[in-house]
Amino acid sequence: MQSEVREPPVFRGDGTDKFSVHEWEDLVDTYLRKRGIPMSEHHHEILSRLMGKAKDIVRITLHSNTSLRPSENPRVIFDILKQHFSEVRFSSMPLADFYGTIHAVGENPVVYWVRLNKAVDVAEEALNRLGRQMDNPCQEAAMMFDKYCPDPTLSAIFRLRAPEKWTASEVQEHLDRYQTEQKEQLAVKSKRNVAVRNTTAHTQSPIESEIAASGLPVVPSDNVNASTPSPPQNDDNCIKMLIGLLDCALFQNSQTEMRCPQPSQPPARACKVCRSQEHSTLAHCRRQRLCLACFQPGHIKRNCTDSQPSTGNQFAQPPQGTPTLK
């Protein structure tokens, strides 16, 4: 029993195709090979799966150039399509196109190696159409990669020998090792990130520590985690939590002020003799040799006979002739 072969899609060339011209070529080749269609009928099968702009270009090109015989060489139809609808450049100087394939800024070395090999295939195909060929395409690709390697570490390795001494298999070996090291580094980095997230989740935040030290109420972590939605809303939840904690702090401070009102301004330590704010009563009496009880000269407080000593709430009148200290 012959297995069912899925027919390839129609190629239009107007931007609505799901496959590129190279992918469509592979699908058609697979279909023709599995169906066992004779070589003499290949061009009819290929043309029957072209429509729109692609079919018009192929038909006009074949009518304009009678030397192209699709019945003998059906590959010319694919060549016409790739020349007009391929993303790869096709020109009369295929080798110049290949040697102009340098790496882009920030391009991965593996991606550049794949793109370089595709450029080699295109140049070799174009040379075959012109009746020419490359002596060693793989060696040319290895030399180009050695010269324009985008990774500094790999570039330092390839500089240990001359470019023509490297083979394509050696370049591929170094790239395989490079990919393995990159995967290991990504695995280690992901494990570190998971460990940091777990440590952060089990560690009390600085804000909660300060609030706990000040005696303010702290929202339980279980409730916070339970109310935490999907990751895109983490910033909003953090802002809301901070606002709630600030509200609690302000409310706690207001309650404290209401329970413990602040005292009024303390009485100024003014001199009771001259009412000066620059020195105290004791300093004034010691300098002027006055009694601390009646503020009169000639005796001390222990020998004072004044029956009404001055109190702390009434200022005494300074004795006549006593200068004011400043």
Side-chain angles (χ1 to χ4, degrees), residues 12 21 53 69 115 123 136 153 163 167 211 264 284 297 304 316 324:
R12 301 177 181 274
V21 62
K53 182 179 180 181
R69 298 178 180 179
R115 190 162 61 89
N136 193 347
T153 305
T167 61
I211 296 176
S264 58
H284 186 105
C304 183
T324 304

Side-chain angles (χ1 to χ4, degrees), residues 113 117 137-139 141-142 166-175:
W113 175 248
N117 280 271
C138 296
Q139 185 66 26
W166 292 96
T167 61
S169 60
E170 292 176 338
V171 174
Q172 186 64 48
E173 182 180 354
H174 283 291
L175 286 174

Side-chain angles (χ1 to χ4, degrees), residues 28-259:
V28 174
D29 285 339
T30 304
Y31 172 76
L32 296 176
R33 186 180 65 257
K34 289 185 176 181
R35 288 294 300 271
I37 299 175
M39 181 66 68
S40 59
E41 299 180 4
H42 280 189
H43 69 286
H44 292 295
E45 291 290 337
I46 299 173
L47 291 174
S48 64
R49 281 162 177 78
L50 293 177
M51 293 185 66
K53 182 179 180 181
K55 188 173 184 178
D56 294 338
I57 289 178
V58 171
R59 180 175 54 83
I60 294 172
T61 304
L62 293 176
H63 287 174
S64 303
N65 192 353
T66 57
S67 61
L68 300 176
R69 298 178 180 179
S71 58
E72 299 177 2
N73 183 17
R75 309 300 303 182
V76 297
I77 301 177
F78 293 127
D79 295 339
I80 296 172
L81 293 174
K82 286 186 290 186
Q83 185 177 0
H84 289 83
F85 302 105
S86 175
E87 297 179 356
V88 184
R89 293 187 305 170
F90 285 89
S91 65
S92 58
M93 301 177 65
L95 288 178
D97 297 338
F98 166 68
Y99 290 121
T101 307
I102 60 176
H103 69 87
V105 178
E107 188 175 19
N108 186 277
V110 180
V111 176
Y112 176 61
W113 175 248
V114 173
R115 190 162 61 89
L116 200 59
N117 280 271
K118 288 184 178 180
V120 169
D121 296 338
V122 172
E124 191 175 12
E125 181 182 351
L127 289 174
N128 290 335
R129 289 200 303 266
L130 298 175
R132 299 158 55 191
Q133 62 180 4
M134 298 178 68
D135 295 335
N136 193 347
C138 296
Q139 185 66 26
E140 296 291 335
M143 293 175 62
M144 284 289 294
F145 186 83
D146 179 31
K147 184 176 181 180
Y148 298 107
C149 179
D151 188 82
T153 305
L154 290 175
S155 180
I157 294 175
F158 291 130
R159 288 176 184 173
L160 297 176
R161 287 190 288 175
E164 61 272 8
K165 299 295 183 180
W166 292 96
T167 61
S169 60
E170 292 176 338
V171 174
Q172 186 64 48
E173 182 180 354
H174 283 291
L175 286 174
D176 294 340
R177 187 179 298 110
Y178 171 82
Q179 280 188 305
T180 303
E181 294 176 354
Q182 291 295 318
K183 290 180 180 179
E184 292 177 354
Q185 292 179 3
L186 289 176
V188 172
K189 187 179 295 184
S190 61
K191 289 181 181 179
R192 289 180 180 176
N193 293 335
V194 171
V196 169
R197 286 197 298 267
N198 294 336
T199 305
T200 306
H202 292 84
T203 304
Q204 190 178 22
S205 63
I207 298 177
E208 294 179 355
S209 302
E210 293 179 3
I211 296 176
S214 62
L216 297 177
V218 181
V219 181
S221 60
D222 296 338
N223 297 336
V224 174
N225 294 335
S227 62
T228 301
S230 56
Q233 299 178 358
N234 284 338
D235 296 339
D236 297 338
N237 292 333
C238 293
I239 294 175
K240 291 180 181 178
M241 185 175 68
L242 289 175
I243 293 175
L245 295 176
L246 290 175
D247 291 340
C248 293
L250 293 175
F251 178 76
Q252 189 75 11
N253 292 336
S254 63
Q255 293 294 330
T256 305
E257 291 178 358
M258 292 177 62
R259 289 196 300 267

